[in-house]
């Protein structure tokens, strides 16, 4: 039954968001306008899930038995500091930031996603053997996805209206978050019960052995 619940939760977390965005698509198509929906939401989802795919592969490779030593962690920290320094020197202006994911041509979005996937792919090939790198990808993916409602909230605040935004999308956001929390509690409870059960078995085995050792001198 717990396995069935886990599968059902996983299916719900995959199918649930699709239902919301399908409803949003029909609203945009019916009104022939996407003014009520912030397209940056799609960008957040795409970037977060691209990172999540690489995290999944990296985590799977590490769990398969590729144990790594930690001397290279200092090198990773040095590389990150160097990258941060380069970013500070090459930081673009506010006009560039405001134009991200607001291009006029569909091909620009494709090129951006292909470029992002290529950069992350090259970094993955070079650094996937380091557990710290894999964990950083996971944290960045979750961090980006946690900002999913922010663009839509800002857009609604500026427009002083939620017209054109599907309430079903909002409902799926809330329901998926609740399912994630429920799944976390379910697996945590299962791990806790498994640990206590194994501990009880250990005591049940060791206590008779101690009794046998005490009974031997009497015989």
């Amino acid at each position: 039954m717990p396995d069935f619940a886990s599968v059902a939760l996983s299916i719900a977390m995959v199918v649930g968001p699709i239902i919301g965005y399908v409803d949003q698509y029909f609203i945009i198509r019916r009104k022939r306008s996407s003014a009520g929906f912030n397209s940056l939401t799609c960008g957040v989802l795409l970037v977060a899930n691209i990172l999540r795919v690489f995290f999944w592969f990296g985590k799977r490779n590490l769990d398969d038995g590729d144990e790594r030593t930690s001397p290279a962690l200092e090198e990773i920290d040095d590389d990150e500091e160097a990258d941060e320094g380069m970013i500070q020197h090459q930081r673009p202006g506010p006009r560039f930031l405001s134009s991200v994911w607001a291009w006029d041509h569909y091909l620009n979005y494709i090129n951006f996603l292909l470029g992002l996937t290529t950069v992350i792919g090259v970094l993955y090939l070079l650094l996937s053997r380091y557990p710290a790198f894999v964990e950083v990808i996971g944290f960045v993916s979750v961090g980006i996805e946690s900002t999913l409602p922010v663009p839509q909230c800002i857009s609604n605040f500026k427009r002083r209206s939620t017209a054109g935004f599907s309430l079903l999308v909002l409902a799926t956001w809330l329901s998926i978050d609740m399912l994630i929390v429920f799944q976390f509690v379910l697996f945590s409870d299962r791990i806790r019960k498994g640990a206590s059960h194994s501990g009880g078995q250990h005591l049940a085995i060791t206590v008779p052995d101690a009794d046998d050792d005490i009974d031997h001198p009497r015989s």
Side-chain angles (χ1 to χ4, degrees), residues 140-163:
V140 172
S141 174
V142 173
I144 292 175
E145 190 173 9
S146 66
T147 65
L148 181 62
V150 174
Q152 187 63 48
C153 291
I154 295 175
S155 178
N156 292 342
F157 178 78
K158 289 180 177 180
R159 296 174 62 248
R160 297 291 194 276
S161 172
T162 59

Side-chain angles (χ1 to χ4, degrees), residues 5 12 15 27 34 40 55-56 67 86 96 98 107 116-117 134 139 155 163 173-175 199 204 210 217:
V15 177
I27 291 176
S34 60
L40 188 57
F55 170 75
W56 184 84
E67 297 180 356
M86 294 177 62
F96 174 79
S98 63
L107 187 60
L116 176 67
T117 305
V134 177
F139 278 116
S155 178
W173 286 351
L174 296 175
S175 61

Side-chain angles (χ1 to χ4, degrees), residues 80-215:
E80 290 178 352
E81 292 177 358
D83 293 339
E84 291 177 357
M86 294 177 62
I87 293 174
Q88 291 177 355
H89 289 295
Q90 300 177 359
R91 183 172 295 172
R95 294 183 61 184
F96 174 79
L97 294 177
S98 63
S99 64
V100 171
W101 208 259
W103 300 295
D104 296 329
H105 301 286
Y106 178 75
L107 187 60
N108 292 336
Y109 296 92
I110 301 298
N111 290 333
F112 172 81
L113 294 175
L114 289 176
L116 176 67
T117 305
T118 302
V119 171
I120 299 174
V122 171
L123 292 175
Y124 177 83
L125 292 176
L126 295 175
L127 303 174
S128 61
R129 61 183 180 274
Y130 301 117
F133 173 77
V134 177
E135 296 297 334
V136 166
I137 290 181
F139 278 116
V140 172
S141 174
V142 173
I144 292 175
E145 190 173 9
S146 66
T147 65
L148 181 62
V150 174
Q152 187 63 48
C153 291
I154 295 175
S155 178
N156 292 342
F157 178 78
K158 289 180 177 180
R159 296 174 62 248
R160 297 291 194 276
S161 172
T162 59
F165 176 65
S166 172
L167 294 180
L168 192 56
V169 172
L170 179 61
T172 56
W173 286 351
L174 296 175
S175 61
I176 293 303
D177 288 340
M178 293 175 63
L179 287 174
I180 292 174
V181 173
F182 180 74
Q183 189 178 36
F184 173 78
V185 173
L186 177 66
F187 279 103
S188 298
D189 185 64
R190 186 188 304 180
I191 293 173
R192 198 161 44 245
K193 287 182 178 179
S196 62
H197 181 67
S198 62
Q201 287 183 340
H202 178 71
L203 290 176
I205 293 173
T206 55
V207 170
D209 292 341
D211 292 340
D212 292 341
D213 293 339
I214 295 173
D215 291 340

